[in-house]
């Protein structure tokens, strides 16, 4: 199993040396592990280039199975720890940027006061990637909107308002509320969220086609572009807290909301650490912004 873990760390860090340092091995021992694994499988898994270490075509096809094997192995170890009465493990969670910034720090701090040995592994994604990662076992659970997860178990955590983000020079900047029809002709900067978008759904429900000029996967990049006067956007109020951008953020009339839920396949099959964290999250959801 150490060979698989070494391969995963090499792919993650793009270097035999960095992987060896991270795992506490010598570089030669890591090289021997990979050589042994490639010999056993009769497949060349890695290739070197000036950009670092990459998976070969064959390695890329095989890698998801290796990741799943590692995940199952670690889950087995966590179950063994549970049997022995220990509360340790790795929590693999899929999040969106607003949750990573504004929910996870206080949740992790409180949770680790009870379970200090638990580790967290974050996968930043969207409403397409996170459900898929849950289905394939890449993560234990994730935060999504219930609209995209009919085959998953979901527990609603919070409903948050969406706000229109305008540059300070915008003609509507002094209004108290904005109608979607009032920004229909503006250059719209859309946050790429995968298979579902709350703003697009709201526009569609209102019978409006927004003038989408840019589609970007990063909230902060959108705020920068709005500040530069390149367009307007609609973002979650949670994401717009504690930012230093010189923009105007106004509520929508009628209001547009984003529902966030925690999603997983089957709670009984989750690693013990993730079960405890989900229970902790639900118990403390009223404390979250």
């Amino acid at each position: 199993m150490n060979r698989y873990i070494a391969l995963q760390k090499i792919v993650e860090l793009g270097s035999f040396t960095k992987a060896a340092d991270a795992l506490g091995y010598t570089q030669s021992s890591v090289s021997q592990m990979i050589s042994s694994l490639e010999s056993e499988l009769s497949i060349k898994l890695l290739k070197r280039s000036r950009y670092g270490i990459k998976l070969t075509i064959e390695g890329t096809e095989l890698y998801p199975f290796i990741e799943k094997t590692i995940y199952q192995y670690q889950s087995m170890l966590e179950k063994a720890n549970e049997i022995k009465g220990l509360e340790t493990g790795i929590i693999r969670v899929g999040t969106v940027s607003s949750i990573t910034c504004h929910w996870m720090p206080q949740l992790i701090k409180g949770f680790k006061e009870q379970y200090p040995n638990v580790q967290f592994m974050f996968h930043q994604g969207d409403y397409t990637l996170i459900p898929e990662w849950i289905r394939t076992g890449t993560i234990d659970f994730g935060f999504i909107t219930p609209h995209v997860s009919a085959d998953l178990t979901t527990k609603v955590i919070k409903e948050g308002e969406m706000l229109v983000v305008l540059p300070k020079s915008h003609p509507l900047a002094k209004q108290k509320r904005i109608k979607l029809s009032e920004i229909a002709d503006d250059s719209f900067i859309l946050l790429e969220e995968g298979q579902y978008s709350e703003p697009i759904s709201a526009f569609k429900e209102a019978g409006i086609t927004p003038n989408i000029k840019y589609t970007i996967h990063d909230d902060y990049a959108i705020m920068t572009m709005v500040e530069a006067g390149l367009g307007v956007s609609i973002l979650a109020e949670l994401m717009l807290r504690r930012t230093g951008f010189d923009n105007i953020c106004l509520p929508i009339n009628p209001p547009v909301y984003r529902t966030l839920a925690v999603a997983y396949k089957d709670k009984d099959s989750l690693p013990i650490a993730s079960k405890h964290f989900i229970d902790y999250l639900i118990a403390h959801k009223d404390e979250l912004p």
Side-chain angles (χ1 to χ4, degrees), residues 199-273:
I200 294 301
S201 179
F203 276 118
K204 186 175 180 180
E205 188 174 334
I208 299 168
T209 301
N211 181 25
I212 300 173
K213 292 295 185 182
Y214 309 95
T215 301
I216 301 176
H217 207 282
D218 181 78
D219 305 75
Y220 291 107
I222 290 177
M223 285 184 262
T224 300
M225 294 180 69
V226 171
E227 188 178 51
L230 295 175
V232 304
S233 188
I234 296 175
L235 297 174
E237 187 271 338
L238 182 63
M239 192 65 221
L240 296 168
R241 298 180 176 213
R242 296 168 57 187
T243 65
F245 296 96
D246 199 18
N247 294 322
I248 301 296
C249 303
L250 298 173
I252 302 167
N253 184 23
V256 175
Y257 294 98
R258 175 180 71 160
T259 303
L260 287 171
V262 61
Y264 45 86
K265 283 196 295 186
D266 175 26
K267 193 172 181 182
D268 289 338
S269 64
L270 285 172
I272 184 65

Side-chain angles (χ1 to χ4, degrees), residues 74-75 77-79 81-82 86-92 111-112 115-121 140 271-274:
Q74 291 172 332
S75 296
L77 292 181
E78 290 173 11
K79 187 63 178 179
N81 286 337
E82 179 186 2
L86 301 177
E87 302 291 357
T88 62
I90 298 174
I91 296 174
R92 301 169 188 84
F111 189 74
K112 285 181 77 70
Y115 308 106
N117 296 320
V118 168
Q119 300 176 46
F120 286 83
M121 183 179 294
D140 303 324
I272 184 65
S274 292

Side-chain angles (χ1 to χ4, degrees), residues 4-57:
Y4 296 143
I5 294 172
L7 176 65
Q8 184 185 53
K9 189 59 68 173
I10 292 167
V11 172
E12 177 187 336
L13 299 177
S15 164
F16 275 80
T17 302
K18 291 179 181 178
D21 290 341
L23 295 171
Y25 297 130
T26 64
Q27 183 176 343
S28 61
S29 64
V30 170
S31 297
Q32 289 172 7
M33 287 182 192
I34 300 305
S35 178
S36 170
L37 182 58
E38 289 178 330
S39 296
E40 179 183 320
L41 299 173
S42 299
I43 291 176
K44 185 72 174 175
L45 297 170
L46 297 171
K47 61 181 178 181
R48 290 179 172 84
S49 73
R50 60 179 179 174
Y51 302 108
I53 307 297
K54 302 288 185 182
L55 287 167
T56 62
I57 294 174

Side-chain angles (χ1 to χ4, degrees), residues 150-224:
D151 60 324
L152 300 175
T153 299
T154 57
K155 300 290 185 182
V156 173
I157 304 299
K158 284 280 185 179
E159 189 175 69
E161 193 168 3
M162 308 286 290
L163 303 180
V164 174
V165 187
L166 308 169
K168 290 189 74 173
S169 60
H170 196 280
L172 301 175
K174 294 185 178 181
Q175 292 192 188
K176 292 185 177 181
R177 289 185 172 270
I178 301 291
K179 294 181 180 179
L180 292 178
S181 58
E182 294 179 296
I183 58 171
D185 295 329
D186 283 85
S187 295
F188 192 79
I189 308 171
L190 177 66
L191 176 64
E192 172 55 57
E193 296 181 284
Q195 61 182 296
Y196 184 81
S197 167
E198 287 90 354
I200 294 301
S201 179
F203 276 118
K204 186 175 180 180
E205 188 174 334
I208 299 168
T209 301
N211 181 25
I212 300 173
K213 292 295 185 182
Y214 309 95
T215 301
I216 301 176
H217 207 282
D218 181 78
D219 305 75
Y220 291 107
I222 290 177
M223 285 184 262
T224 300

Side-chain angles (χ1 to χ4, degrees), residues 79-116:
K79 187 63 178 179
N81 286 337
E82 179 186 2
I83 292 170
K84 292 185 293 183
L86 301 177
E87 302 291 357
T88 62
I90 298 174
I91 296 174
R92 301 169 188 84
V93 52
T95 74
V96 294
S97 55
S98 57
I99 291 177
T100 306
C101 293
H102 299 287
W103 284 8
M104 295 310 292
Q106 72 181 74
L107 287 170
I108 292 171
K109 183 178 180 181
F111 189 74
K112 285 181 77 70
E113 288 176 358
Q114 299 180 36
Y115 308 106

